[in-house]
Amino acid sequence: MEKTDYRWRRLVDSIGNYLAPSMAKDHPNLPVVKAEGSYYFGADGKRYLDFTSGIAVENVGHRHPKVVAAIKESADHLIHGPSGVIIYESILKLAEELQGILPGKLDNFFFANSGTEAIEGALKLAKHVTKRPYVISFTGNFHGRSMGALSVTTSKSKYRKYQQPSMLAYQLPYALPEYLPEGKDPEIFFPEKLEKDVKSLFRHQVDPEEVACMILEPVMGEGGYIIPPKAWVKKVREICDHHGILLIFDEVQTGFGRTGEWFAAQTFDVTPDIMAIAKGIAAGLPLSATVASKELMEQWPLGSHGTTFGGNPIACSAALASLSIMKEEKLLENTKEMGQYTLSRLEQIKEKYDVVKDIRGVGLMIGIELQNRETGEPDGELVMNVLNRCLEKGVLFYLCGNSGEVIRMLPPLNVTKEQIDDGIQMLDEALSEL
């Protein structure tokens, strides 16, 4: 950080004196002074290709000029609006725009600030409407770390340590590739397995008439970037319909074009009853929403849920600009094209290095799973070494998976072929050196 002043260096060196380790000690702790497009600009004077998009947030790239202009224009008029106490144009316009891209009858919104808040709202709405106490989630899914969301989060046991999060939740197995017997068709095997698992759960642990909802990541995110068979997701919907159980999709990470459609619900052709959306919605400003039909939301009376900062007017303006950019720049089409190109390039990497166990992805939500070449076991230590070496070369990836064994690749949706090539070249060099 030779190009930074003394005070900045001192602050970074003493980060532990200011920020909780649970916040400040994540990978890679890169000091930056600016971000633009697909790049971070480090305090060391170097430029870093960002293949995290702020963890699936900066879908239109960092500081897109139209987003910055919308933020500035909005700040000239209104900075805070406790929605309901006052009402303002940007929140109403955003709701109207979202109605046009969401599937089915998902047309009514409770705006909040974070993905976890959207999940909390979804769980509360489902229980209030059905008047049923229990929730079913899927093992390995991540839904947040607040106590309600934590009760259905099972991607890592450390998140639940000392917390005893119950909230009357049960878990079913996700459609993990490791469960698939050799030679079996996943589109047949996993729906049949799900039916058996559900029957066992309902026979031995909970009566379906007491289950309010099932909550599901349509693509498993933090748990390892697993794309389930389409028939399995449809079977979840079928089971919910049969028992009068509401289906919640956690689209916090998959939403706003990440899978190549506006939402993974459209990728899998399955419409949930309730959806939680956040991350890519507002180009980096805190905003989320619990989404359902008007018929469901009308059963959730005033005071049963609330927010002070949710649906902030500046964040709503940024979201409107982001949606406009995605349409004007045809980013859904670019996501599909660049996603396929990236997977083809990564398959070449897989053929080259035996530590690469699997390449999987949908749209620009891509996982690169690494293994110990001697044991075949997940290798989180190797992943961390690769990430650090990539950072030295100038590209930022992130990790996921229960053991941190998966490299998470999430470039902005307006990423170019040249940028994909640059990032994969640096990954190739890092793997070669290690």
Side-chain angles (χ1 to χ4, degrees):
M1 292 188 297
E2 295 80 11
K3 296 184 180 181
T4 62
D5 61 34
Y6 168 76
R7 175 171 170 75
W8 173 233
R9 289 199 305 271
R10 181 180 65 79
L11 287 170
V12 171
D13 291 342
S14 58
I15 189 171
N17 297 330
Y18 302 108
L19 301 178
S22 60
M23 180 180 212
K25 293 298 182 181
D26 203 352
H27 171 83
N29 237 221
L30 175 68
V32 300
V33 296
K34 183 181 176 182
E36 189 167 347
S38 294
Y39 296 94
Y40 281 120
F41 294 84
D44 55 4
K46 290 176 59 177
R47 186 179 74 167
Y48 296 87
L49 187 56
D50 178 22
F51 277 2
T52 73
S53 298
I55 316 300
V57 168
E58 300 287 1
N59 286 7
V60 299
H62 295 282
R63 296 179 59 251
H64 193 290
K66 291 185 178 179
V67 171
V68 174
I71 291 170
K72 290 179 177 178
E73 197 277 335
S74 179
D76 281 341
H77 295 86
L78 191 63
I79 289 178
H80 169 64
S83 57
V85 176
I86 64 169
I87 203 68
Y88 37 92
E89 186 179 31
S90 60
I91 196 171
L92 296 175
K93 275 190 173 181
L94 178 58
E96 184 178 42
E97 287 294 316
L98 289 173
Q99 284 182 346
I101 64 172
L102 280 154
K105 294 183 179 180
L106 295 171
D107 58 4
N108 221 250
F109 306 89
F110 184 99
F111 288 106
N113 307 282
S114 68
T116 302
E117 287 180 63
I119 294 294
E120 295 282 356
L123 295 173
K124 287 179 69 176
L125 175 61
K127 288 192 170 193
H128 188 97
V129 169
T130 63
K131 299 175 176 58
R132 298 178 177 185
Y134 295 105
V135 175
I136 295 172
S137 65
F138 289 82
T139 304
N141 282 202
F142 178 87
H143 301 293
R145 294 181 176 91
S146 59
M147 291 304 287
L150 193 60
S151 71
V152 291
T153 288
T154 54
S155 56
K156 291 185 176 72
S157 59
K158 69 178 183 179
Y159 299 149
R160 300 160 68 93
K161 193 173 183 180
Y162 309 128
Q163 303 304 317
Q164 298 84 42
S166 98
M167 205 182 159
L168 308 176
Y170 295 91
Q171 276 74 45
L172 286 167
Y174 200 79
L176 299 178
E178 63 196 63
Y179 297 152
L180 183 66
E182 188 174 352
K184 293 287 187 179
D185 183 348
E187 296 287 345
I188 297 173
F189 172 79
F190 281 113
E192 291 178 349
K193 182 180 185 302
L194 178 62
E195 283 194 317
K196 294 174 184 176
D197 292 335
V198 167
K199 284 180 181 178
S200 177
L201 180 69
F202 289 164
R203 185 181 299 123
H204 297 289
Q205 297 189 68
V206 62
D207 190 292
E209 291 185 0
E210 290 195 291
V211 177
C213 60
M214 287 189 184
I215 182 168
L216 170 72
E217 280 187 296
V219 177
M220 187 189 289
E222 202 264 353
Y225 274 37
I226 307 295
I227 300 96
K230 192 171 184 178
W232 182 81
V233 181
K234 287 181 174 293
K235 179 59 70 172
V236 176
R237 174 76 272 181
E238 181 185 311
I239 290 167
C240 287
D241 289 341
H242 180 73
H243 294 286
I245 295 169
L246 296 178
L247 177 58
I248 300 172
F249 270 10
D250 178 345
E251 294 242 24
V252 170
Q253 189 163 172
T254 53
F256 297 95
R258 182 55 57 182
T259 66
E261 302 290 346
W262 282 110
F263 298 94
Q266 292 141 336
T267 300
F268 289 95
D269 194 26
V270 174
T271 302
D273 301 292
I274 305 171
M275 190 184 286
I277 58 177
K279 282 191 180 289
I281 189 173
L285 271 66
L287 186 65
S288 69
T290 300
V291 190
S293 66
K294 183 181 178 183
E295 289 77 12
L296 285 183
M297 284 291 195
E298 284 182 334
Q299 299 176 56
W300 210 17
L302 177 66
S304 56
H305 199 47
T307 177
T308 297
F309 294 103
N312 173 271
I314 298 178
C316 288
S317 295
L320 284 165
S322 183
L323 292 176
S324 176
I325 292 161
M326 290 191 68
K327 293 173 183 176
E328 290 172 5
E329 298 185 6
K330 296 181 169 48
L331 295 193
L332 296 184
E333 292 87 340
N334 191 65
T335 299
K336 292 173 185 174
E337 182 182 348
M338 290 300 100
Q340 286 299 315
Y341 178 71
T342 302
L343 289 174
S344 68
R345 286 294 318 276
L346 289 174
E347 283 297 335
Q348 297 170 10
I349 297 286
K350 183 174 183 287
E351 292 174 8
K352 193 173 177 180
Y353 301 103
D354 57 5
V355 295
V356 181
K357 180 178 181 179
D358 193 24
I359 302 294
R360 50 186 179 257
V362 54
L364 284 170
M365 186 175 181
I366 296 168
I368 307 157
E369 184 175 351
L370 302 190
Q371 64 182 352
N372 183 290
R373 62 155 47 99
E374 295 178 359
T375 67
E377 292 297 310
D379 200 333
E381 183 178 351
L382 176 59
V383 165
M384 191 56 68
N385 289 334
V386 172
L387 294 184
N388 287 331
R389 190 63 62 90
C390 284
L391 188 68
E392 292 172 7
K393 296 178 179 301
V395 61
L396 179 62
F397 292 94
Y398 199 59
L399 69 159
C400 64
N402 186 262
S403 303
E405 74 277 13
V406 180
I407 296 173
R408 192 182 329 198
M409 183 173 175
L410 290 163
L413 305 187
N414 51 9
V415 68
T416 66
K417 186 176 289 187
E418 291 73 23
Q419 290 167 338
I420 294 291
D421 286 339
D422 286 346
I424 291 179
Q425 176 63 33
M426 286 185 264
L427 173 64
D428 191 350
E429 293 172 4
L431 285 166
S432 176
E433 292 168 10
L434 288 167

PDB file of all heavy atoms in Angstrom, residues 150-166:
ATOM      1  N   LEU A 150     -31.911 -18.662  10.781  1.00  0.00           N
ATOM      2  CA  LEU A 150     -30.938 -19.659  11.194  1.00  0.00           C
ATOM      3  C   LEU A 150     -31.582 -21.013  11.469  1.00  0.00           C
ATOM      4  O   LEU A 150     -30.950 -22.058  11.314  1.00  0.00           O
ATOM      5  CB  LEU A 150     -30.207 -19.171  12.449  1.00  0.00           C
ATOM      6  CG  LEU A 150     -28.942 -19.914  12.870  1.00  0.00           C
ATOM      7  CD1 LEU A 150     -27.886 -19.851  11.783  1.00  0.00           C
ATOM      8  CD2 LEU A 150     -28.402 -19.320  14.161  1.00  0.00           C
ATOM      9  N   SER A 151     -32.838 -21.003  11.847  1.00  0.00           N
ATOM     10  CA  SER A 151     -33.528 -22.266  12.120  1.00  0.00           C
ATOM     11  C   SER A 151     -33.693 -23.114  10.870  1.00  0.00           C
ATOM     12  O   SER A 151     -33.890 -24.322  10.946  1.00  0.00           O
ATOM     13  CB  SER A 151     -34.901 -22.003  12.757  1.00  0.00           C
ATOM     14  OG  SER A 151     -35.797 -21.456  11.802  1.00  0.00           O
ATOM     15  N   VAL A 152     -33.615 -22.483   9.687  1.00  0.00           N
ATOM     16  CA  VAL A 152     -33.735 -23.225   8.428  1.00  0.00           C
ATOM     17  C   VAL A 152     -32.426 -23.219   7.637  1.00  0.00           C
ATOM     18  O   VAL A 152     -32.371 -23.738   6.527  1.00  0.00           O
ATOM     19  CB  VAL A 152     -34.883 -22.667   7.559  1.00  0.00           C
ATOM     20  CG1 VAL A 152     -36.228 -22.980   8.203  1.00  0.00           C
ATOM     21  CG2 VAL A 152     -34.761 -21.155   7.334  1.00  0.00           C
ATOM     22  N   THR A 153     -31.364 -22.649   8.204  1.00  0.00           N
ATOM     23  CA  THR A 153     -30.045 -22.633   7.585  1.00  0.00           C
ATOM     24  C   THR A 153     -29.238 -23.829   8.072  1.00  0.00           C
ATOM     25  O   THR A 153     -29.038 -23.994   9.277  1.00  0.00           O
ATOM     26  CB  THR A 153     -29.293 -21.332   7.933  1.00  0.00           C
ATOM     27  OG1 THR A 153     -29.874 -20.242   7.228  1.00  0.00           O
ATOM     28  CG2 THR A 153     -27.822 -21.414   7.556  1.00  0.00           C
ATOM     29  N   THR A 154     -28.771 -24.653   7.124  1.00  0.00           N
ATOM     30  CA  THR A 154     -28.009 -25.840   7.514  1.00  0.00           C
ATOM     31  C   THR A 154     -26.780 -26.048   6.624  1.00  0.00           C
ATOM     32  O   THR A 154     -26.286 -27.162   6.492  1.00  0.00           O
ATOM     33  CB  THR A 154     -28.896 -27.102   7.443  1.00  0.00           C
ATOM     34  OG1 THR A 154     -29.481 -27.199   6.133  1.00  0.00           O
ATOM     35  CG2 THR A 154     -29.992 -27.056   8.481  1.00  0.00           C
ATOM     36  N   SER A 155     -26.280 -24.978   6.005  1.00  0.00           N
ATOM     37  CA  SER A 155     -25.117 -25.127   5.136  1.00  0.00           C
ATOM     38  C   SER A 155     -23.859 -25.451   5.937  1.00  0.00           C
ATOM     39  O   SER A 155     -22.996 -26.189   5.476  1.00  0.00           O
ATOM     40  CB  SER A 155     -24.899 -23.868   4.301  1.00  0.00           C
ATOM     41  OG  SER A 155     -24.770 -22.731   5.118  1.00  0.00           O
ATOM     42  N   LYS A 156     -23.758 -24.906   7.156  1.00  0.00           N
ATOM     43  CA  LYS A 156     -22.628 -25.189   8.038  1.00  0.00           C
ATOM     44  C   LYS A 156     -23.116 -25.201   9.483  1.00  0.00           C
ATOM     45  O   LYS A 156     -23.849 -24.298   9.920  1.00  0.00           O
ATOM     46  CB  LYS A 156     -21.534 -24.131   7.890  1.00  0.00           C
ATOM     47  CG  LYS A 156     -20.785 -24.145   6.561  1.00  0.00           C
ATOM     48  CD  LYS A 156     -19.657 -23.128   6.582  1.00  0.00           C
ATOM     49  CE  LYS A 156     -18.825 -23.182   5.309  1.00  0.00           C
ATOM     50  NZ  LYS A 156     -19.530 -22.635   4.156  1.00  0.00           N
ATOM     51  N   SER A 157     -22.684 -26.192  10.229  1.00  0.00           N
ATOM     52  CA  SER A 157     -23.125 -26.302  11.623  1.00  0.00           C
ATOM     53  C   SER A 157     -22.575 -25.172  12.477  1.00  0.00           C
ATOM     54  O   SER A 157     -23.176 -24.808  13.497  1.00  0.00           O
ATOM     55  CB  SER A 157     -22.707 -27.658  12.205  1.00  0.00           C
ATOM     56  OG  SER A 157     -21.300 -27.813  12.149  1.00  0.00           O
ATOM     57  N   LYS A 158     -21.431 -24.579  12.082  1.00  0.00           N
ATOM     58  CA  LYS A 158     -20.837 -23.524  12.915  1.00  0.00           C
ATOM     59  C   LYS A 158     -21.746 -22.303  13.031  1.00  0.00           C
ATOM     60  O   LYS A 158     -21.663 -21.549  14.007  1.00  0.00           O
ATOM     61  CB  LYS A 158     -19.476 -23.109  12.366  1.00  0.00           C
ATOM     62  CG  LYS A 158     -19.503 -22.356  11.045  1.00  0.00           C
ATOM     63  CD  LYS A 158     -18.090 -21.947  10.621  1.00  0.00           C
ATOM     64  CE  LYS A 158     -18.093 -21.141   9.336  1.00  0.00           C
ATOM     65  NZ  LYS A 158     -16.723 -20.744   8.947  1.00  0.00           N
ATOM     66  N   TYR A 159     -22.620 -22.091  12.032  1.00  0.00           N
ATOM     67  CA  TYR A 159     -23.531 -20.959  12.102  1.00  0.00           C
ATOM     68  C   TYR A 159     -24.542 -21.135  13.241  1.00  0.00           C
ATOM     69  O   TYR A 159     -25.087 -20.159  13.757  1.00  0.00           O
ATOM     70  CB  TYR A 159     -24.296 -20.783  10.793  1.00  0.00           C
ATOM     71  CG  TYR A 159     -23.436 -20.516   9.590  1.00  0.00           C
ATOM     72  CD1 TYR A 159     -23.824 -20.955   8.331  1.00  0.00           C
ATOM     73  CD2 TYR A 159     -22.238 -19.817   9.698  1.00  0.00           C
ATOM     74  CE1 TYR A 159     -23.040 -20.710   7.208  1.00  0.00           C
ATOM     75  CE2 TYR A 159     -21.447 -19.580   8.588  1.00  0.00           C
ATOM     76  CZ  TYR A 159     -21.849 -20.027   7.350  1.00  0.00           C
ATOM     77  OH  TYR A 159     -21.075 -19.792   6.245  1.00  0.00           O
ATOM     78  N   ARG A 160     -24.800 -22.387  13.612  1.00  0.00           N
ATOM     79  CA  ARG A 160     -25.831 -22.690  14.608  1.00  0.00           C
ATOM     80  C   ARG A 160     -25.253 -22.949  15.999  1.00  0.00           C
ATOM     81  O   ARG A 160     -26.003 -23.131  16.959  1.00  0.00           O
ATOM     82  CB  ARG A 160     -26.627 -23.911  14.141  1.00  0.00           C
ATOM     83  CG  ARG A 160     -27.310 -23.710  12.799  1.00  0.00           C
ATOM     84  CD  ARG A 160     -27.675 -25.023  12.128  1.00  0.00           C
ATOM     85  NE  ARG A 160     -28.723 -25.754  12.821  1.00  0.00           N
ATOM     86  CZ  ARG A 160     -30.023 -25.672  12.556  1.00  0.00           C
ATOM     87  NH1 ARG A 160     -30.438 -24.854  11.605  1.00  0.00           N
ATOM     88  NH2 ARG A 160     -30.902 -26.380  13.214  1.00  0.00           N
ATOM     89  N   LYS A 161     -23.927 -22.982  16.100  1.00  0.00           N
ATOM     90  CA  LYS A 161     -23.276 -23.334  17.357  1.00  0.00           C
ATOM     91  C   LYS A 161     -23.674 -22.381  18.487  1.00  0.00           C
ATOM     92  O   LYS A 161     -23.616 -21.167  18.331  1.00  0.00           O
ATOM     93  CB  LYS A 161     -21.753 -23.309  17.172  1.00  0.00           C
ATOM     94  CG  LYS A 161     -20.981 -23.958  18.311  1.00  0.00           C
ATOM     95  CD  LYS A 161     -19.496 -24.035  17.965  1.00  0.00           C
ATOM     96  CE  LYS A 161     -18.723 -24.746  19.057  1.00  0.00           C
ATOM     97  NZ  LYS A 161     -17.273 -24.836  18.720  1.00  0.00           N
ATOM     98  N   TYR A 162     -24.096 -22.952  19.587  1.00  0.00           N
ATOM     99  CA  TYR A 162     -24.539 -22.238  20.794  1.00  0.00           C
ATOM    100  C   TYR A 162     -25.862 -21.484  20.620  1.00  0.00           C
ATOM    101  O   TYR A 162     -26.316 -20.793  21.534  1.00  0.00           O
ATOM    102  CB  TYR A 162     -23.482 -21.243  21.285  1.00  0.00           C
ATOM    103  CG  TYR A 162     -22.111 -21.824  21.450  1.00  0.00           C
ATOM    104  CD1 TYR A 162     -21.006 -21.210  20.859  1.00  0.00           C
ATOM    105  CD2 TYR A 162     -21.907 -22.984  22.189  1.00  0.00           C
ATOM    106  CE1 TYR A 162     -19.741 -21.741  20.982  1.00  0.00           C
ATOM    107  CE2 TYR A 162     -20.626 -23.527  22.328  1.00  0.00           C
ATOM    108  CZ  TYR A 162     -19.554 -22.904  21.722  1.00  0.00           C
ATOM    109  OH  TYR A 162     -18.302 -23.435  21.856  1.00  0.00           O
ATOM    110  N   GLN A 163     -26.494 -21.580  19.462  1.00  0.00           N
ATOM    111  CA  GLN A 163     -27.692 -20.775  19.208  1.00  0.00           C
ATOM    112  C   GLN A 163     -29.002 -21.522  19.442  1.00  0.00           C
ATOM    113  O   GLN A 163     -30.034 -20.908  19.664  1.00  0.00           O
ATOM    114  CB  GLN A 163     -27.665 -20.251  17.764  1.00  0.00           C
ATOM    115  CG  GLN A 163     -26.431 -19.443  17.425  1.00  0.00           C
ATOM    116  CD  GLN A 163     -26.224 -18.267  18.345  1.00  0.00           C
ATOM    117  OE1 GLN A 163     -27.169 -17.550  18.679  1.00  0.00           O
ATOM    118  NE2 GLN A 163     -24.999 -18.082  18.810  1.00  0.00           N
ATOM    119  N   GLN A 164     -28.980 -22.845  19.355  1.00  0.00           N
ATOM    120  CA  GLN A 164     -30.196 -23.654  19.510  1.00  0.00           C
ATOM    121  C   GLN A 164     -31.382 -23.091  18.711  1.00  0.00           C
ATOM    122  O   GLN A 164     -32.459 -22.836  19.271  1.00  0.00           O
ATOM    123  CB  GLN A 164     -30.586 -23.783  20.997  1.00  0.00           C
ATOM    124  CG  GLN A 164     -29.558 -24.477  21.860  1.00  0.00           C
ATOM    125  CD  GLN A 164     -28.468 -23.546  22.356  1.00  0.00           C
ATOM    126  OE1 GLN A 164     -28.749 -22.430  22.755  1.00  0.00           O
ATOM    127  NE2 GLN A 164     -27.229 -23.982  22.321  1.00  0.00           N
ATOM    128  N   PRO A 165     -31.197 -22.908  17.423  1.00  0.00           N
ATOM    129  CA  PRO A 165     -32.294 -22.337  16.637  1.00  0.00           C
ATOM    130  C   PRO A 165     -33.319 -23.414  16.301  1.00  0.00           C
ATOM    131  O   PRO A 165     -33.058 -24.303  15.517  1.00  0.00           O
ATOM    132  CB  PRO A 165     -31.598 -21.843  15.371  1.00  0.00           C
ATOM    133  CG  PRO A 165     -30.453 -22.787  15.225  1.00  0.00           C
ATOM    134  CD  PRO A 165     -30.052 -23.241  16.591  1.00  0.00           C
ATOM    135  N   SER A 166     -34.483 -23.360  16.880  1.00  0.00           N
ATOM    136  CA  SER A 166     -35.458 -24.405  16.577  1.00  0.00           C
ATOM    137  C   SER A 166     -36.521 -23.883  15.634  1.00  0.00           C
ATOM    138  O   SER A 166     -36.574 -24.236  14.481  1.00  0.00           O
ATOM    139  CB  SER A 166     -36.057 -24.961  17.864  1.00  0.00           C
ATOM    140  OG  SER A 166     -37.291 -24.389  18.148  1.00  0.00           O
TER     141      SER A 166
END
